[in-house]
Amino acid sequence: MKASKSKRYFWAVTVTCLPESREALSYWLFSLGALGCEEVENRIIAYFEDQDEHALHQAVIRGVHRIRESGLPVDPQSIDLHRFPEENWMENWKRYFRPVRIGDVLCIRPPWHRAASPPMLDIMIEPKQAFGTGTHATTQLVLQAMVERRDRLPEQALDVGTGSGILAIAHAKLRPGSHVVGIDIDPVAVENARENARLNGVAAACDFRVGSIEAADERTYRLIYANLEKNIISRLMEALLQRLQPAGEILFSGILARERAELEKLLVQHGLRVTRVRQQDDWLLMETEKPHV
Ligand code: SAH
């Protein structure tokens, strides 16, 4: 076949690793902008938009080294990059993005899947570069906690590290009449979040802004979503607390099971009470509350 200049290409990055490193690795690959990740036997395959091979390879190697430094086994020699044309894409892509159900309350699906029937709430997420298609354990844990609170979700909430906007959109759908501020340092994520809010008819209920906590107004919230990761959580802790009302809650996700003791210590040091810890695969969600004063 003749090569066409306008043909679109993608990268499939395959890393062989042991099960204990898989979650950390897929989290890292998503944070590099992976459009999706799949686990096949002892490998993770992450799909990326077309880009410079060397830069992508180096970024993945950096991630592998970071994961190794944190004590998890993964071999930098095991990274394989493969570029493939768009026409071979859909079968990979669609196989991965199946609808995700949270109890019988929420269904998160890519736009090409059939809508869930009521009373299940239907959420469409366009899988682009932003993290948060609903397939990752860290997102699902927050959604589960949210669904369990659906009768008492507050009118105002803050979503720190909104990614695709999935948590803000779910909040707006579960709590009609609410208003959610979603912030992300990544402008591409914010653009994707706005598009997803429009797709779900909740654009007026969601206010997405580029930036970290300073991008949120100087007010306090009864509920803050923080699906970040340990180091970012610890960096943002003071700023998060300043935005939290007394008796308000922060749901921290993106924490690895082995980080539990360290995180718990940090939260308690900052005067938060851990009310519940949920686990899925290697990931934890810590539900915390600021005591009444
Ligand atoms: N809320 C989504 C996405 C979580 S991924 C979900 O639950 O699936 C974490 C997001 O946090 C990424 O999009 C990343 O860009 C963003 N992020 C990282 N550091 C941040 C910071 N300091 N302030 C705001 N967002 C941040």
Side-chain angles (χ1 to χ4, degrees):
M1 202 167 60
K2 246 175 110 182
S4 141
K5 256 190 171 167
S6 59
K7 211 178 202 176
R8 200 173 161 206
Y9 281 84
F10 294 92
W11 284 101
V13 176
T14 306
V15 188
T16 308
C17 66
L18 292 169
E20 56 264 45
S21 315
R22 227 169 266 161
E23 292 291 340
L25 192 58
S26 74
Y27 195 76
W28 174 262
L29 291 163
F30 272 119
S31 75
L32 289 179
L35 301 162
C37 279
E38 58 181 336
E39 292 182 12
V40 184
E41 292 156 5
N42 61 342
R43 287 164 294 152
I44 288 198
I45 307 170
Y47 299 102
F48 289 87
E49 298 269 15
D50 200 13
Q51 55 191 282
D52 179 69
E53 178 175 10
H54 181 71
L56 179 61
H57 196 180
Q58 289 307 310
V60 177
I61 289 175
R62 269 200 308 281
V64 165
H65 280 298
R66 256 183 62 170
I67 291 163
R68 277 163 67 89
E69 275 161 22
S70 69
L72 289 167
V74 51
D75 181 0
Q77 299 291 330
S78 72
I79 303 168
D80 173 72
L81 275 73
H82 166 70
R83 191 165 172 261
F84 66 92
E86 188 168 26
E87 59 254 35
N88 298 349
W89 170 255
M90 281 323 254
E91 72 240 39
N92 282 320
W93 175 257
K94 288 192 171 174
R95 199 178 63 221
Y96 183 70
F97 292 106
R98 298 232 172 83
V100 173
R101 290 193 167 76
I102 308 294
D104 53 5
V105 179
L106 287 181
C107 175
I108 295 110
R109 61 170 175 107
W112 60 81
H113 263 276
R114 216 160 19 99
S117 342
M120 195 173 263
L121 287 173
D122 183 51
I123 297 181
M124 269 184 281
I125 296 290
E126 185 75 66
K128 289 207 169 160
Q129 274 168 319
F131 188 102
T133 55
T135 54
H136 202 268
T138 60
T139 313
Q140 290 177 14
L141 285 164
V142 188
L143 292 170
Q144 281 156 17
M146 201 187 281
V147 161
E148 279 178 28
R149 283 167 175 72
R150 65 186 178 283
D151 297 328
R152 55 184 174 94
L153 287 175
E155 215 178 310
Q156 312 269 347
L158 175 64
D159 179 16
V160 181
T162 198
S164 67
I166 185 166
L167 302 179
I169 293 167
H171 185 107
K173 286 227 164 183
L174 284 164
R175 170 68 166 88
S178 63
H179 186 263
V180 190
V181 174
I183 54 175
D184 203 296
I185 47 171
D186 178 1
V188 176
V190 169
E191 200 182 303
N192 185 216
R194 288 189 183 131
E195 179 188 354
N196 283 324
R198 276 196 299 275
L199 208 59
N200 288 283
V202 291
C206 299
D207 179 0
F208 293 114
R209 303 178 186 175
V210 180
S212 192
I213 317 260
E214 76 290 340
D217 300 325
E218 287 210 18
R219 48 151 300 164
T220 55
Y221 294 84
R222 227 182 76 203
L223 181 58
I224 300 177
Y225 302 109
N227 183 7
L228 298 159
E229 51 126 320
K230 188 193 74 183
N231 294 333
I232 302 175
I233 291 173
S234 93
R235 244 191 2 253
L236 297 186
M237 194 55 112
E238 288 295 337
L240 284 166
L241 288 170
Q242 278 169 19
R243 295 292 196 274
L244 188 64
Q245 286 177 13
E249 290 184 290
I250 307 183
L251 305 183
F252 290 101
S253 195
I255 302 160
L256 284 162
R258 64 190 166 76
E259 296 167 344
R260 179 174 179 152
E262 191 184 340
L263 241 297
E264 255 170 353
K265 195 168 146 210
L266 179 81
L267 299 172
V268 171
Q269 268 169 2
H270 283 84
L272 289 169
R273 205 162 61 84
V274 180
T275 52
R276 180 164 174 184
V277 179
R278 293 169 196 258
Q279 179 158 7
Q280 186 173 322
D281 308 325
D282 283 342
W283 295 99
L284 301 181
L285 169 87
M286 292 196 181
E287 301 183 13
T288 66
E289 196 178 78
K290 185 173 180 172
H292 273 287
V293 275

